[in-house]
Amino acid sequence: MAGMRRFCSTRRLFSAPSLHLYAALLLAPLFTAAPGLRAQSPAASPMPIEQPTVLVSATQRHATSLNGPWHFIPDPYRNGWGGWPDEPSAPSPNGFVADKHFDPRGPVQEYNWPDEPELAVPGDWNSQRAELLYYEGLVWYQRNFTYHPAAGMRSFLHFGAASYRANVTVNGKNVCEHQGAFTSFDCDATAALKDGDNSIVVAVDNVRKRERVPTTKTDWWNYGGLTGEVSIVEVPAAGFIDEDRLWLERGAGDHVSGRAHVEGVATGTPVHLRLPELHVDVNAKTDAQGIAHFSFEPKGLERWSPEHARLYRVEWQVGSDQLADTIGFRTVEVRGGEILLNGKPIYLKGVNMHAEAPRSYAAYPESKSGRAWSEADARLTLGYARALGCNFVRMAHYPYPDAFLREADRAGLLVWSEIPVYWSIDWTSPEALASAKSQLHEQILRDGNRASIALWSMSNETPPSPDRTEFIHKLIDQARAEDPTRLITSAMVTPFHKDAEGNSTATLDDPLVPYLDVLGYNEYIGWYTGKSDDAPSYRWSDPSGKPVIVSEFGAGAKTGMHGDVRDRFTEEFQAHLFEKQFEMIDKMPFVRGTTPWVLMDFRSPTRLLPGIQDGYNRKGLVSLSGEHKAAFEVVRRQYAKTPAQMTAH
Ligand code: GCB
């Protein structure tokens, strides 16, 4: 089991140094810490602030939901930190974390949690309140809840996502800080929680900074807030599984490998694994790192694929800890210029998407626009992709909510999953690198069991430079070490030039190419460059021989705007552009997939054309109210073709 050996203990080996590095980098200016030691909290904060962990299958565990209305205070002047004149490194007990009620005869107090207005959690703040639409900065969230911790259990606060930095305080005690807007995290709040009434305060700050990932400029809305679900997950203090992963080995036969990491147990603790439908019932013991390794060959395994999205129930048990999930088994690999799913070539009929919730309309009254998070959002948007004839989606440009990956598993959609290394990151900043690595790590940990995920994408449209290539190369090394079962890609900028005869030519030779398994190339012929009608005459070459996905192409169109194919923003312009694009792509022998930009319109602060864009990127095939634009049918027709018809050059 070479794969298994390579796999073993990546979490422990990786997470220990990297998260310490990350913590040290982030907290270094704030705390004084000896190198290699966990940073010490300042005197004002009584408890050390832990870096959160990732409980891999947190959403599959019994949990107490903290979703619902939370009080909030927007705090652009950062009063709530409680520091004067300097902001302390973590919320001070003198600030808004104190759940004190205003008393007219008491000391001066200039906030009062019970009277503060409310926001729904999960949900970004921008789309819930008109006055917060453009707000970027610090917002304090607070709610009270009754909780009865069970004896012998540890209680983790699970956050689906908090954009961008979250400082979590329970009953006035700082319990964790997390950075990264999209990935899930879990904070051990056992020591801070009380039996009975509790108060939680979370400071969420989405200020854009040069050294953050993404950085200061994106073509999507910088939604802030507690954008994912919040809950309390209880696990046995005597030992619990914080990481479980199963995968089908590449190659002939149905060889399944797996591992579970158990926190807090002695070497040799037995871990029990069952897959009832496959009659698998096996045991393994934890090693010195707390990892139990598994390896078995189930009889009659049905492989997961877009045509047959077979998922199996998987049950883990260690002592009193039990964990169940549903997992599909399949292999993805590259052979020469082919992408293979379960050993057979596949053409990826895809579409790009954003994690944007549609606007409320008759078929989907419960929806509000903003950052998507729910199973219903996932079902609806991935349903559009299925209706288009897709077997693949590119979840641009950041890790998506767990609900989306689980729905992709059920719907039989292969997934390209990406981290927000987007456009011009600060390539020489250690903080940016630590953040990108941490987001990649958290994404691979949480989503490693999703059969749908075929590709990890390291970046989107990064201008080539030695620093850029070195930065992304480090991420690629990490992704391969943490997950050797998937393919590595990046969406790159297509370098067009004129050849000696004056023909528009693209040679796919970005310096990242040698490190990737599959090449993604974005191009906007007919929109940002050249004319749609000329696309079929463009000349393309792929000197690497690696499979290529045309990872972006498209045009803006406002639903209901009609005109000539030369009139921008009409449905006709957009439909015509896609016709010409597919005419070109069908002649490119190395293309193994396409993802038009983009499934649905989405909010973007850079799209200002009055009466047409009004703050939305209009390149969707579907409007935010669910209407299909004319181009939807063009893509659907293309995807109704057989792969042979698509590649009959
Ligand atoms: C791109 C970006 C994508 C943008 C899109 C556009 O190249 O990768 O994030 O939204 O173009 O609409 O311009």
Side-chain angles (χ1 to χ4, degrees), residues 145-434:
F145 58 98
T146 307
Y147 181 62
H148 301 292
M153 303 295 274
R154 272 166 74 175
S155 306
F156 283 84
L157 282 164
H158 173 74
F159 291 86
S163 171
Y164 179 92
R165 167 177 160 184
N167 284 79
V168 182
T169 311
V170 174
N171 299 323
K173 296 173 180 148
N174 292 316
V175 294
C176 70
E177 171 177 321
H178 179 261
Q179 300 217 27
F182 307 98
T183 42
S184 303
F185 58 97
D186 301 272
C187 303
D188 188 350
T190 315
L193 284 160
K194 293 186 303 200
D195 191 18
D197 294 338
N198 288 270
S199 164
I200 177 168
V201 175
V202 186
V204 187
D205 186 343
N206 74 336
V207 164
R208 285 170 295 120
K209 291 189 179 174
R210 187 73 194 100
E211 67 279 12
R212 287 187 170 174
V213 179
T215 180
T216 47
K217 194 155 177 171
T218 58
D219 184 21
W220 72 83
W221 210 265
N222 176 27
Y223 289 120
L226 294 175
T227 53
E229 303 193 69
V230 184
S231 61
I232 306 177
V233 176
E234 284 183 350
V235 292
F240 60 92
I241 299 170
D242 62 357
E243 180 189 346
D244 57 287
R245 188 158 337 155
L246 285 179
W247 65 96
L248 182 63
E249 295 286 358
R250 288 175 183 156
D254 290 337
H255 192 139
V256 175
S257 297
R259 66 159 191 264
H261 178 266
V262 190
E263 187 62 37
V265 292
T267 305
T269 300
V271 179
H272 189 185
L273 169 65
R274 287 183 67 230
L275 285 79
E277 295 134 289
L278 287 168
H279 309 290
V280 170
D281 193 328
V282 284
N283 288 289
K285 291 194 169 148
T286 54
D287 62 15
Q289 294 176 302
I291 299 170
H293 298 278
F294 290 85
S295 169
F296 52 90
E297 285 191 49
K299 296 256 177 320
L301 178 76
E302 294 169 30
R303 292 178 173 221
W304 183 97
S305 71
E307 297 74 37
H308 183 64
R310 179 70 160 105
L311 299 174
Y312 289 96
R313 183 173 165 87
V314 171
E315 299 169 355
W316 299 89
Q317 184 173 3
V318 180
S320 64
D321 192 30
Q322 292 181 343
L323 186 61
D325 202 351
T326 46
I327 296 182
F329 297 94
R330 50 92 198 105
T331 58
V332 278
E333 56 201 306
V334 159
R335 191 187 307 136
E338 296 290 354
I339 299 171
L340 307 183
L341 176 71
N342 294 323
K344 297 198 196 81
I346 183 165
Y347 192 99
L348 298 173
K349 300 173 177 184
V351 70
N352 279 287
M353 41 188 314
H354 262 287
E356 184 99 1
R359 254 196 248 113
S360 182
Y361 63 101
Y364 192 47
E366 69 268 38
S367 169
K368 50 160 193 64
S369 54
R371 175 69 37 76
W373 63 271
S374 68
E375 203 178 307
D377 293 335
R379 264 204 313 275
L380 186 85
T381 48
L382 293 175
Y384 292 148
R386 279 313 253 176
L388 204 53
C390 292
N391 58 16
F392 176 54
V393 288
R394 174 175 174 222
M395 294 188 177
H397 290 295
Y398 38 76
Y400 275 37
D402 182 59
F404 276 71
L405 279 322
R406 289 182 179 276
E407 181 57 23
D409 266 11
R410 285 189 290 267
L413 285 162
L414 286 155
V415 171
W416 159 318
S417 183
E418 193 158 292
I419 48 170
V421 176
Y422 182 87
W423 291 349
S424 284
I425 297 295
D426 189 353
W427 304 116
T428 54
S429 153
E431 187 174 343
L433 181 62

Side-chain angles (χ1 to χ4, degrees), residues 423-446:
W423 291 349
S424 284
I425 297 295
D426 189 353
W427 304 116
T428 54
S429 153
E431 187 174 343
L433 181 62
S435 174
K437 289 183 125 236
S438 152
Q439 294 185 53
L440 179 64
H441 174 63
E442 291 175 346
Q443 178 195 35
I444 292 178
L445 256 185
R446 194 200 66 184

Side-chain angles (χ1 to χ4, degrees), residues 219-220 354 394 397 422-423 460-461 522 524 527-528 552 597 602 607 617 619:
D219 184 21
W220 72 83
H354 262 287
R394 174 175 174 222
H397 290 295
Y422 182 87
W423 291 349
N460 178 71
E461 285 188 357
N522 297 356
Y524 281 88
W527 187 253
Y528 293 125
E552 284 183 31
W597 189 261
F602 59 96
R607 307 296 171 178
N617 185 313
K619 296 191 187 75

Side-chain angles (χ1 to χ4, degrees), residues 47-93:
M47 290 175 64
I49 300 173
E50 296 288 331
Q51 287 300 300
T53 184
V54 177
L55 291 182
V56 169
S57 300
T59 60
Q60 304 309 295
R61 287 181 175 275
H62 174 72
T64 306
S65 175
L66 295 182
N67 292 346
W70 288 52
H71 296 290
F72 77 99
I73 305 176
D75 188 16
Y77 284 50
R78 309 182 80 82
N79 291 320
W81 283 95
W84 180 263
D86 298 321
E87 178 172 306
S89 55
S92 120

